[in-house]
Amino acid sequence: VRRNKQKDSAPPWHAACLRREHRVFWTRSEARPLPDMNLRGVRILVTRPSGQARPMAEQIEARGGIAITVPMIRILPPVEWDACDAQIDRLADFAGVVFTSSNAAKYFLNRCAERGAGGTLPGRMQVFAVGPKTARYVEHAGMTPAHVPSTYSGARLAAHFRAQNLR
């Protein structure tokens, strides 16, 4: 996997980028499975965190590709919780919460539990998830997402809020 001298349509921070003949032919957001294609002999760089790279590497290898796992980020809780704790203390003031990743949901809900607010949110509070993986995590925690955009991005979720006149 190499960078093309021409400007690619895919940003460099995508989880994985498959290239043939110096051309991007597919990029993956975390929620979509790999396209059904023969990847025999194609080397693919997987930059997901080490604890989250294996499912994608398995899909690549099942299609004959060579998955090279090189974690580029590490998911950690915040160093300081003060700002988050202040909002957890005010949960009753909010109509909803937006989770932009399953990692965000995990850390936030765990922090709520640590602070005595329980591992879920108040029953009347709407929960929004940026994609199906985040929605599954939220559901596993006992909540039902009010909306998951069909295209998994924060921009699509924001468009939903504008269309519903939510603030």
Side-chain angles (χ1 to χ4, degrees), residues 86-110:
Q87 301 315 309
I88 290 171
D89 292 343
R90 300 181 48 222
L91 278 179
D93 297 342
F94 294 94
V97 65
V98 176
F99 290 118
T100 57
S101 72
S102 57
N103 291 312
K106 176 180 82 171
Y107 283 111
F108 183 78
L109 294 173
N110 285 345

Side-chain angles (χ1 to χ4, degrees), residues 62-78:
R63 288 164 177 77
I66 301 163
I68 302 164
T69 303
V70 182
M72 296 289 176
I73 63 171
R74 237 178 357 161
I75 308 294
L76 300 170

